């Protein structure tokens, strides 16, 4: 019998359908922010990854690289960003679109030491946005990842953010860090002794107790960031506060890819073990130029689908239970039912199914019913809302709610249609 190679998995039914479902939900959600799907190759010239991900990074060293029959060095993609940037430059998208917002999904390949949540072939859903330097984009992108994961039913996530500054300030910091760590080389673990030479920043997120003890008194990047990087980061954290996205500033957070600048972040799920990042990303303002395009700021993230699925299973989210089509309409009182029937006909005319509450149950028991029946969306039509001409649209997974006017149903219809049909 021939078994599958180490570190790869067969994705059988019904699991395969969950991958599809997650991608569809992600696509629908990201499209609310203006992202469009694109597809890029699963293999590229090795040089692309060496120049982006970095030759000396863990990911750079974990690539599946081979010579094709024409003698060219080819690598299976270890991640999605490099290929997307290559496509952006190759198709001169910068000349056509000021902001290019795309998402992608598919397998990535890394020769890792396999363990729970760490595979050699794994799936990512990622987004990239080009052409925007505002810190508000960083905020929006973190919000998008956070709200998507919450909306999927992941209740236990934590956002961690850090800034690794720009080329200039990071260079100064690394010099200082090396001076400090150089004094402790004999106590650092063997991996960190190697990292000291080729990637000292990675020592910051070492989990070994002795390395952690050394790091306690190590210089912090925040003391070296230039004023414009600091201002950028303050706006990012301030924006997250304004959106009430709980986050931790983790000065030890670093990434295993060379291209990042300024904001980096991870979203951690407590259901995962040592490989606890379900999503990770950040800003990479120099990469487009590095790969032959004009200077173009960019930001993005990728979600690990296996880790997301594992966390959802632990959270008790039943992906096999199909969400009913459409919206549950919660009503309070006779007048509200009358209004709901009219609103329902507008929504139905957009092709969205509606279930109206015709009983005199209280709001909380209607919400429980919607939850039991697995509705993702509830439209609350109370008398106060009728007076204002605005209704409350509540996402049952994330708990987020927003006011919506009748005229806005059309705007939401595409999103709701996609969501309700999954
Ligand atoms: P990354 O942190 O290398 O970033 O990977 C993103 C996510 O992919 C991780 O948080 C994790 O959930 C999942 N992942 C990574 N490696 C494995 C593995 N061996 N097995 C299972 N899951 C894994 C990137 O790949 C960047 N391209 C993200 C990005 C996009 N940054 C900017 N734009």
């Amino acid at each position: 019998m021939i078994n599958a190679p180490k570190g790869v998995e067969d994705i059988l039914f019904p699991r395969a359908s969950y991958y599809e479902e997650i991608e569809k939900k992600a696509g629908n959600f990201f499209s609310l922010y203006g992202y469009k799907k694109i597809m890029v190759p699963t293999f590229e010239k090795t040089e692309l990854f060496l120049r982006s991900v970095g030759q000396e990074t863990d990911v750079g060293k974990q690539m599946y690289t081979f010579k094709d029959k024409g003698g060219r060095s080819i690598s299976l993609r270890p991640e999605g960003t490099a290929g997307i940037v290559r496509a952006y430059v190759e198709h001169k998208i910068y000349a056509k679109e000021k902001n290019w917002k795309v998402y992608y999904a598919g397998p990535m390949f890394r020769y890792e030491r396999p363990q729970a949540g760490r595979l050699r072939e794994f799936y990512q859903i990622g987004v990239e946005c080009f052409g925007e330097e505002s810190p508000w984009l960083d905020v929006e992108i973190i919000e998008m990842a956070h709200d998507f994961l919450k909306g999927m039913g992941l209740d236990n996530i934590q956002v961690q953010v850090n800034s690794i500054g720009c080329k200039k300030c990071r260079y100064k910091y690394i010099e200082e860090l090396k001076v400090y760590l150089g004094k402790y080389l004999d106590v650092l673990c063997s991996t960190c002794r190697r990292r000291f030479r080729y990637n000292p920043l990675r020592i910051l997120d070492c989990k070994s107790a002795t390395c952690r003890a050394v790091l306690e008194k190590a210089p912090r990047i925040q003391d070296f960031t230039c004023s414009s990087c600091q201002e950028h980061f303050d706006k990012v954290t301030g924006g997250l506060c304004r959106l009430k996205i709980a986050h931790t500033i983790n000065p030890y957070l670093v990434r295993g890819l060379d291209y990042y600048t300024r904001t980096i972040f991870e979203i951690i799920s407590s259901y995962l073990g040592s490989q606890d990042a379900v999503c990770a990303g950040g800003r990479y303002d120099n990469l487009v130029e590095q790969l032959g395009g004009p200077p173009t700021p960019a930001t993005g993230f990728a979600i690990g689908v296996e880790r997301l699925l594992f966390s959802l299973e632990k959270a008790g989210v039943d992906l096999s239970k199909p969400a009913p089509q459409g919206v549950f309409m919660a009503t309070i009182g006779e007048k509200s039912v009358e209004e709901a029937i009219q609103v329902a006909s507008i929504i139905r005319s957009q092709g969205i199914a509606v279930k109206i509450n015709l009983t005199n149950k209280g709001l909380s028991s209607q919400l429980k019913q919607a939850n039991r029946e697995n509705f993702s969306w509830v439209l609350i039509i109370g008398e106060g809302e009728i007076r204002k001409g605005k209704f409350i649209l509540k996402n049952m997974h994330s708990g987020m709610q927003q006011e919506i006017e009748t005229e806005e149903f059309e705007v939401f219809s595409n999103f709701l249609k996609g969501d309700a049909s999954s």
Side-chain angles (χ1 to χ4, degrees):
M1 186 177 73
I2 302 171
N3 294 325
K6 199 173 162 189
V8 302
E9 281 182 347
D10 294 315
I11 305 164
L12 306 177
F13 183 82
R15 216 177 160 74
S17 64
Y18 304 160
Y19 278 65
E20 240 173 53
E21 169 122 353
I22 289 176
E23 188 194 328
K24 195 162 159 191
K25 288 201 159 154
N28 287 333
F29 193 71
F30 299 159
S31 72
L32 287 180
Y33 292 75
Y35 289 79
K36 305 246 171 12
K37 178 162 180 175
I38 66 161
M39 291 157 90
V40 291
T42 43
F43 60 85
E44 299 269 0
K45 291 181 183 161
T46 302
E47 190 194 348
L48 171 71
F49 298 119
L50 295 182
R51 279 171 53 188
S52 50
V53 164
Q55 194 156 7
E56 296 298 344
T57 57
D58 294 346
V59 177
K61 287 179 183 294
Q62 290 163 341
M63 286 198 296
Y64 280 88
T65 297
F66 55 93
K67 286 255 157 72
D68 71 5
K69 289 189 177 164
R72 304 166 195 93
S73 182
I74 295 292
S75 295
L76 299 185
R77 62 181 181 192
E79 57 101 56
T81 311
I84 305 278
V85 175
R86 197 257 318 125
Y88 177 79
V89 174
E90 186 168 336
H91 300 285
K92 297 192 174 54
I93 310 274
Y94 47 83
K96 300 167 216 157
E97 292 192 44
K98 190 179 171 311
N99 285 151
W100 197 49
K101 293 180 163 187
V102 294
Y103 75 90
Y104 54 93
M108 309 292 156
F109 308 86
R110 297 182 192 174
Y111 191 78
E112 300 251 27
R113 202 156 353 114
Q115 63 179 87
R118 200 157 79 182
L119 292 148
R120 290 184 174 170
E121 181 184 25
F122 58 97
Y123 285 72
Q124 283 187 344
I125 299 177
V127 311
E128 314 293 345
C129 173
F130 296 86
E132 183 54 72
E133 63 187 347
S134 164
W136 282 103
L137 175 69
D138 309 25
V139 175
E140 187 185 71
I141 231 162
I142 295 172
E143 180 215 29
M144 185 166 85
H146 172 270
D147 285 4
F148 169 68
L149 294 172
K150 282 249 167 186
M152 286 299 301
L154 212 58
D155 48 6
N156 67 331
I157 48 176
Q158 197 210 350
V159 177
Q160 300 209 345
V161 285
N162 193 18
S163 171
I164 52 165
C166 58
K167 253 196 238 155
K168 263 200 229 148
C169 42
R170 191 166 53 231
Y171 178 77
K172 267 196 251 148
Y173 173 62
I174 292 174
E175 292 291 290
E176 282 297 317
L177 187 65
K178 282 188 91 169
V179 170
Y180 172 81
L181 292 173
K183 294 185 233 153
Y184 300 95
L185 272 184
D186 47 340
V187 291
L188 293 180
C189 72
S190 57
T191 314
C192 286
R193 277 204 295 276
R194 232 183 25 253
R195 285 171 171 166
F196 181 80
R197 264 178 281 128
Y198 66 80
N199 197 357
L201 267 189
R202 282 294 280 179
I203 298 177
L204 291 180
D205 77 345
C206 180
K207 307 278 188 293
S208 118
T210 40
C211 296
R212 294 243 60 83
V214 169
L215 287 167
E216 258 171 36
K217 295 217 168 80
R220 304 240 167 152
I221 182 101
Q222 277 66 29
D223 299 327
F224 292 81
T225 37
C226 60
S227 58
S228 104
C229 286
Q230 191 55 50
E231 194 185 324
H232 187 98
F233 191 53
D234 290 344
K235 286 188 176 156
V236 173
T237 53
L240 291 175
C241 291
R242 279 187 78 166
L243 292 185
K244 297 197 170 45
I245 294 179
H247 61 278
T248 313
I249 299 173
N250 177 357
Y252 298 114
L253 183 65
V254 282
R255 318 269 15 265
L257 303 151
D258 259 359
Y259 49 65
Y260 289 108
T261 52
R262 294 189 161 177
T263 316
I264 53 168
F265 70 97
E266 282 188 1
I267 303 185
I268 283 168
S269 158
S270 60
Y271 292 126
L272 298 168
S274 59
Q275 304 302 314
D276 56 0
V278 67
C279 169
R283 193 163 263 291
Y284 51 97
D285 289 344
N286 302 326
L287 188 57
V288 173
E289 192 178 11
Q290 224 166 287
L291 293 179
T296 310
T299 313
F301 66 75
I303 293 170
V305 180
E306 286 75 12
R307 294 187 193 178
L308 172 57
L309 261 177
F310 183 80
S311 304
L312 289 175
E313 279 157 12
K314 287 273 178 199
V317 176
D318 185 357
L319 285 160
S320 65
K321 209 161 113 193
Q325 299 229 330
V327 183
F328 184 95
M329 228 177 231
T331 56
I332 303 134
E334 188 74 20
K335 252 202 183 145
S336 147
V337 173
E338 263 176 43
E339 182 77 14
I341 286 177
Q342 291 171 51
V343 172
S345 89
I346 300 172
I347 299 180
R348 288 190 184 112
S349 74
Q350 307 289 327
I352 298 163
V354 181
K355 176 169 183 173
I356 308 174
N357 167 63
L358 300 175
T359 70
N360 49 17
K361 277 192 245 176
L363 180 60
S364 71
S365 75
Q366 290 183 55
L367 291 178
K368 275 188 201 140
Q369 179 190 349
N371 210 13
R372 228 181 9 258
E373 293 180 11
N374 208 18
F375 274 93
S376 303
W377 297 95
V378 173
L379 193 66
I380 303 170
I381 308 217
E383 290 190 3
E385 283 78 39
I386 301 172
R387 269 196 304 278
K388 281 199 279 180
K390 286 180 180 171
F391 309 111
I392 295 169
L393 184 66
K394 183 175 173 81
N395 184 301
M396 295 301 284
H397 298 307
S398 65
M400 296 275 281
Q401 54 185 49
Q402 65 193 93
E403 285 193 332
I404 167 167
E405 293 180 33
T406 322
E407 301 79 55
E408 287 171 323
F409 288 138
E410 208 168 330
V411 179
F412 279 93
S413 68
N414 277 339
F415 170 64
L416 289 176
K417 262 185 242 164
D419 197 62
S421 65
S422 56

